[in-house]
Amino acid sequence: MKAYLDDLNDVQKRAVTHMEGPVLVIAGPGSGKTRVLTFRVAHLIEEGVAPWEILTLTFTNKSAREMKERIGQVIGPKTQNVWAGTFHSIFAKILRIESSKIGYDSNFTIYDTDDSRSLINSIIKELNLDKSVYNANAIKNRISSAKSNLISPKAYVGQEDLMQKDRMSKRPYFHVIYEKYVERCKRSGAMDFDDLLYQLYILLHKNPDNVKEKYQKKFKYILVDEFQDTNYLQNAILKKLVNYEDSKRNIFVVGDDAQSIYAFRGATIDNILDFEKEYKKHNISTYKLEQNYRSTDHIVQAANEVITHNSKQIPKKIWSDKGVGQKIKVIRTNSDAEEGKRIVDTILEQKSRNHLQNDEIAILYRTNAQSRVFEEYLRRYNLTYKVYGGLSFYSRKEVKDLLGYLRLSVNQNDEEALRRVINYPKRGIGNSSIDKINAFASQSDISMWEAMTKVPLSARAKNSLLDFKAMIEVFSKKAKSSNAYELAYFVAKQSGITNAMKGDTSIEGLARMENVTSLLDGIKDFVENDEAIDEVIVPDKSISTYLQNIALVSQADSETDSTDFITLMSVHSAKGLEYKSVFVVGLEEKLFPSFMSMETKEGLDEERRLFYVAITRAEQFLTLSFATSRFRFGKHTFGEPSRFLNEISSDHLETTFTRRSSNQQSSVPVLSGVKGNFRKKAANNFAIDAANFKASPSENIQVGMKVLHMKFGEGKVLSIEGGNHNKIATIFFKQADNPQKRIVLRFSKLQIVT
């Protein structure tokens, strides 16, 4: 037996050494799938298979590089000739060799996303179509979907259901754009990323004898990583490359149906679910890697319980020998702001009690817009963090755009803000006009704002500038009489930012809209939050104060260069990673699971798989949190805990509040409106029931009354002073850290109890 095989458990070893025929490896989370793929390639070479006869397909170049490095550590330099890479990189290599057979030159251009979007925009302009309806991102995604399903422009027109969908979405000319896009790419000798797959399929399909057979003979062994993430087209190409007439059919796929989470990118779980059926007649062998080397037993068993609620799956039972471990902590909060604070408090506790480093901790959320509140509290506690797979919230373009308008509303001489928003959304003030304004300002030693009305420009540009200037003046006037949220909401609408975003229904477009909404919600929270009103007579809720706070936040971000940081990321970005402590936040119905996925069984199943991925990132400590209310579109919205919480038995959960049941045997909370073991805590136990909380008119509050506050709990009014609009109440909150607080009543949000 080869020495390197001693590092494998029994199931891993049998999968690695299985030489002939189709193989399906179902690899649970933390079960060593990369090791199996690596050792499989090494074993094939050690058994005499030539490295260039092995094709290994991955989803990232990093995975391919790491795999070749690991193989090299096992068997030395022989691994260099293995064909290992992403679907796109390997297929591009084949296409460059065979391009003449489909009418392309070997040095064809590969269009990136920006190139494709630019071409689509030019076609939309040529056809004189409305760009707000025919949004380039949405069109690009639809073209990508068509290619991924092998639907050519000609075939598209023949499918009435697709044409009807376009008519219903008010884009009846999509098929014309698609046809022209394909023609223009071909005329330019260019392929986009989807073409690297689509054109390879065409190549293999139209040249079965001299191309398909050539590569079937060349690649005697094909290995595929993360098979659950393949789409229809990728699987169709694999079937072409596997020698279907050869009874051996040496295809080896590794994946986990329970971690199939990329349907929005076109991935189909059916590829892995149907793999056994597809190769049943050819003596397929299936191996299940069920031992988890990552997580403790409470976490593993919770994951098992959750995933059993999905109907379509390959049965497996993940297990761990890493000990029982700590129970999963569930945190219930009254608001998203409180959720941010409680999570950061728990992180500090874990760092102190369990000696965790920042880089051993991750906060996972369903949407990127959720990062804002956690970023703010991490900064308050001087904890270093990094947003993985994206920019820090206040560095995102759409956030900076709205903040640019707000800065300009306060200070019209802010030239950076002026440059940023003067032509966004587009209003006919091009770079040439901006350069002229800047040059005139420099020569005249005046600000660009002053120069706008004095610089000589064309009549059209001048009119656009005057309209823009008048709009900013309206914003400036409103800034003097409104609080930060009133102004921000007004600016978002009147500037055209929200209207410009509504046309983009792509995943990216929706995410940008969520970020703008989250910024507005954060400003609303700033206006309404009286957390720090102690010994402050009139809290300043102006846009100037808000912008000052944000400027300090942004500066803190730019100064962070530590390598020891807490990771913030979406669950989708977390796949394949692991941390000692994981916080999965925002576990509420319509958030996680997402409201966009709740209309179909398939959508809910994918959301559950996403939750499964989230909780299996944790090695030792797992914390789940939800808020009974959160700001959405500037208003408090009330929600129910995620159904996923109730799919975990109480045996694996720990909470800080008491379950109410007839037998009183469990410490798991009981929350109304949800099946199982969760009920909301009574108001007089400090955690206020947000659904039943109703602020009383501030003028009704009198000395001696008992009142409730959403954050501080129950309190007694000791005194009231000041005039009608600036009455300040001194209230004793017996359960607060600093019990005696002075609160301005008109900002207070208090509910009278007695």
Side-chain angles (χ1 to χ4, degrees):
M1 185 67 71
K2 304 288 192 297
Y4 57 83
L5 297 178
D6 294 340
D7 293 333
L8 303 173
N9 66 33
D10 182 59
V11 181
Q12 291 173 335
K13 189 180 301 181
R14 284 189 283 124
V16 164
T17 57
H18 188 115
M19 289 295 293
E20 305 293 345
V23 176
L24 170 64
V25 178
I26 301 299
S31 62
K33 77 172 179 65
T34 303
R35 171 170 290 197
V36 166
L37 274 168
T38 300
F39 281 43
R40 164 78 169 178
V41 175
H43 187 70
L44 289 174
I45 294 172
E46 287 292 279
E47 289 296 306
V49 179
W52 52 87
E53 294 177 331
I54 302 170
L55 171 62
T56 302
L57 295 168
T58 67
F59 274 84
T60 66
N61 287 310
K62 180 182 177 185
S63 297
R65 285 194 303 271
E66 289 178 351
M67 193 172 297
K68 291 187 82 168
E69 288 170 4
R70 291 191 188 189
I71 298 167
Q73 291 169 4
V74 177
I75 61 170
K78 287 182 284 186
T79 182
Q80 295 303 315
N81 291 317
V82 172
W83 281 52
T86 65
F87 281 86
H88 290 88
S89 64
I90 294 293
F91 293 172
K93 187 175 179 180
I94 295 173
L95 282 168
R96 292 207 184 277
I97 296 170
E98 312 290 347
S99 58
S100 62
K101 296 181 176 65
I102 53 172
Y104 278 85
D105 192 84
S106 61
N107 62 352
F108 60 82
T109 300
I110 298 176
Y111 277 176
D112 63 17
T113 301
D114 288 338
D115 294 326
S116 296
R117 191 185 298 114
S118 176
L119 175 54
I120 290 168
N121 271 323
S122 68
I123 294 170
I124 291 169
K125 185 176 182 180
E126 289 167 13
L127 294 172
N128 199 28
L129 298 173
D130 186 346
K131 292 180 73 171
S132 65
V133 176
Y134 289 88
N135 177 271
N137 279 327
I139 298 298
K140 179 184 174 299
N141 287 348
R142 192 143 178 81
I143 290 173
S144 176
S145 177
K147 288 182 179 179
S148 296
N149 286 283
L150 288 173
I151 303 172
S152 67
K154 184 177 179 181
Y156 191 97
V157 176
Q159 296 200 23
E160 180 55 30
D161 59 328
L162 296 176
M163 298 291 285
Q164 177 65 20
K165 187 172 182 179
D166 290 338
R167 288 191 289 269
M168 291 178 67
S169 62
K170 299 181 180 179
R171 294 178 187 141
Y173 296 104
F174 166 78
H175 67 284
V176 180
I177 301 172
Y178 183 17
E179 182 179 18
K180 286 186 175 294
Y181 176 79
V182 170
E183 288 173 354
R184 294 275 288 276
C185 284
K186 186 67 181 289
R187 193 172 75 196
S188 301
M191 296 189 195
D192 63 18
F193 287 133
D194 296 302
D195 280 328
L196 298 177
L197 277 63
Y198 182 83
Q199 295 294 349
L200 182 70
Y201 181 87
I202 299 301
L203 172 71
L204 298 173
H205 183 68
K206 290 188 174 180
N207 300 273
D209 297 328
N210 60 349
V211 177
K212 185 175 77 168
E213 188 175 333
K214 171 184 174 180
Y215 288 97
Q216 285 178 342
K217 289 179 178 178
K218 177 177 179 59
F219 300 128
K220 291 185 169 59
Y221 290 86
I222 297 176
L223 296 84
V224 186
D225 191 14
E226 303 285 9
F227 188 64
Q228 78 282 347
D229 294 334
T230 55
N231 62 26
Y232 173 81
L233 179 52
Q234 287 165 326
N235 197 33
I237 293 170
L238 287 172
K239 290 177 183 178
K240 293 283 186 185
L241 289 174
V242 173
N243 190 344
Y244 224 72
E245 302 306 317
D246 183 348
S247 60
K248 293 178 181 178
R249 296 198 179 109
N250 295 322
I251 181 168
F252 183 97
V253 303
V254 181
D256 182 7
D257 58 295
Q259 297 186 68
S260 178
I261 59 173
Y262 294 120
F264 69 95
R265 292 182 188 168
T268 171
I269 193 174
D270 291 336
N271 287 348
I272 193 167
L273 292 178
D274 296 339
F275 192 80
E276 285 182 297
K277 188 192 304 180
E278 185 77 31
Y279 291 91
K280 187 175 182 180
K281 295 179 181 178
H282 308 287
N283 300 317
I284 184 172
S285 298
T286 299
Y287 299 94
K288 296 180 182 179
L289 308 183
E290 297 175 303
Q291 182 175 358
N292 180 295
Y293 291 94
R294 176 187 300 153
S295 309
T296 55
D297 195 58
H298 276 307
I299 296 169
V300 168
Q301 295 310 320
N304 281 334
E305 290 177 351
V306 166
I307 205 63
T308 57
H309 288 78
N310 274 10
S311 53
K312 293 173 67 176
Q313 60 178 295
I314 299 171
K316 58 185 173 297
K317 190 72 172 178
I318 308 301
W319 59 278
S320 169
D321 63 358
K322 293 180 71 68
V324 175
Q326 292 196 7
K327 288 189 175 184
I328 300 164
K329 187 172 185 177
V330 180
I331 294 177
R332 168 198 181 275
T333 63
N334 297 307
S335 67
D336 45 349
E338 186 186 347
E339 182 183 35
K341 184 177 188 306
R342 289 283 301 280
I343 292 301
V344 175
D345 285 342
T346 305
I347 287 174
L348 289 169
E349 181 185 345
Q350 287 186 351
K351 284 171 63 68
S352 174
R353 181 176 297 177
N354 303 305
H355 309 292
L356 296 184
Q357 300 298 309
N358 287 336
D359 61 5
E360 296 174 319
I361 301 167
I363 301 174
L364 309 183
Y365 33 74
R366 180 62 182 84
T367 66
N368 284 315
Q370 290 172 256
S371 74
R372 175 186 58 80
V373 68
F374 300 102
E375 290 186 59
E376 289 175 1
Y377 277 99
L378 287 167
R379 282 189 296 268
R380 289 189 194 185
Y381 286 87
N382 293 317
L383 289 171
T384 308
Y385 71 89
K386 181 178 180 181
V387 179
Y388 182 94
L391 295 169
S392 174
F393 182 81
Y394 293 103
S395 299
R396 295 168 193 167
K397 179 186 180 301
E398 55 277 8
V399 172
K400 290 176 78 71
D401 289 339
L402 181 50
L403 287 174
Y405 271 107
L406 297 177
R407 284 166 52 185
L408 206 56
S409 301
V410 174
N411 175 16
Q412 287 79 56
N413 292 324
D414 185 337
E415 293 194 357
E416 290 305 310
L418 179 65
R419 287 174 182 276
R420 183 171 200 94
V421 303
I422 193 170
N423 199 38
Y424 178 76
K426 289 188 177 179
R427 50 177 61 90
I429 306 173
N431 290 333
S432 157
S433 296
I434 296 170
D435 290 342
K436 288 177 182 177
I437 296 168
N438 184 52
F440 187 89
S442 298
Q443 292 166 5
S444 307
D445 195 23
I446 58 176
S447 70
M448 287 182 68
W449 176 260
E450 289 181 80
M452 285 197 304
T453 55
K454 299 177 181 178
V455 63
L457 293 172
S458 68
R460 182 182 174 187
K462 197 75 170 178
N463 288 334
S464 296
L465 274 176
L466 291 174
D467 288 344
F468 172 72
K469 189 171 188 292
M471 179 178 66
I472 298 301
E473 287 171 345
V474 170
F475 295 167
S476 178
K477 184 177 180 181
K478 190 168 181 64
K480 294 179 174 67
S481 60
S482 305
N483 66 37
Y485 177 73
E486 291 166 346
L487 174 70
Y489 183 80
F490 181 79
V491 168
K493 290 184 73 69
Q494 297 302 316
S495 65
I497 285 180
T498 52
N499 282 337
M501 289 185 167
K502 284 178 182 175
D504 189 352
T505 56
S506 66
I507 296 294
E508 297 81 5
L510 293 172
R512 283 190 284 272
M513 190 66 182
E514 281 186 341
N515 286 332
V516 169
T517 300
S518 183
L519 176 61
L520 291 172
D521 292 341
I523 298 173
K524 180 77 167 180
D525 189 37
F526 163 79
V527 168
E528 294 193 350
N529 183 19
D530 53 8
E531 175 184 355
I533 305 175
D534 190 19
E535 302 303 329
V536 176
I537 294 179
V538 181
D540 184 356
K541 301 298 183 179
S542 70
I543 193 63
S544 297
T545 302
Y546 176 80
L547 289 172
Q548 177 180 306
N549 292 343
I550 295 306
L552 295 174
V553 163
S554 302
Q555 180 64 23
D557 285 345
S558 64
E559 291 174 353
T560 297
D561 58 2
S562 170
T563 57
D564 180 32
F565 48 77
I566 294 165
T567 300
L568 279 70
M569 69 175 84
S570 70
V571 182
H572 281 102
S573 298
K575 190 163 175 287
L577 303 176
E578 57 189 45
Y579 299 87
K580 281 190 179 179
S581 178
V582 170
F583 295 81
V584 186
V585 300
L587 281 164
E588 298 129 45
E589 291 289 288
K590 299 184 181 179
L591 183 54
F592 201 176
S594 165
F595 73 94
M596 292 189 292
S597 306
M598 294 176 68
E599 293 182 359
T600 65
K601 182 71 169 67
E602 293 76 17
L604 274 173
D605 281 357
E606 175 135 341
E607 289 290 299
R608 186 174 285 107
R609 293 194 294 270
L610 191 59
F611 181 57
Y612 178 88
V613 167
I615 62 180
T616 54
R617 300 309 93 199
E619 298 175 5
Q620 297 179 23
F621 310 104
L622 175 61
T623 305
L624 311 176
S625 71
F626 64 95
T628 57
S629 76
R630 63 178 60 241
F631 271 112
R632 297 279 289 175
F633 307 105
K635 297 180 180 178
H636 273 295
T637 58
F638 302 104
E640 293 288 349
S642 171
R643 66 192 67 197
F644 302 150
L645 289 169
N646 292 302
E647 295 171 359
I648 303 174
S649 70
S650 58
D651 296 340
H652 306 302
L653 301 179
E654 169 209 333
T655 65
T656 56
F657 45 99
T658 307
R659 177 190 176 188
R660 293 204 179 107
S661 64
S662 56
N663 54 26
Q664 292 292 318
Q665 291 179 349
S666 173
S667 62
V668 180
V670 180
L671 294 163
S672 63
V674 182
K675 176 185 173 185
N677 299 322
F678 294 92
R679 183 184 305 265
K680 293 174 184 171
K681 193 175 178 185
N684 60 1
N685 287 328
F686 188 40
I688 312 301
D689 183 348
N692 295 325
F693 182 85
K694 186 176 181 181
S696 303
S698 60
E699 61 269 21
N700 293 348
I701 296 173
Q702 304 294 327
V703 174
M705 284 183 171
K706 286 185 179 178
V707 293
L708 290 179
H709 186 277
M710 284 286 288
K711 180 171 182 62
F712 304 130
E714 184 181 288
K716 184 175 181 179
V717 182
L718 302 180
S719 66
I720 297 176
E721 58 189 270
N724 288 335
H725 295 292
N726 290 317
K727 285 186 178 180
I728 301 169
T730 301
I731 306 174
F732 184 83
F733 295 99
K734 57 185 177 182
Q735 291 171 289
D737 293 336
N738 299 306
Q740 189 161 306
K741 298 187 179 291
R742 288 163 54 81
I743 293 178
V744 178
L745 287 180
R746 66 189 177 101
F747 295 113
S748 62
K749 295 268 190 290
L750 296 168
Q751 178 179 327
I752 297 171
V753 178
T754 57

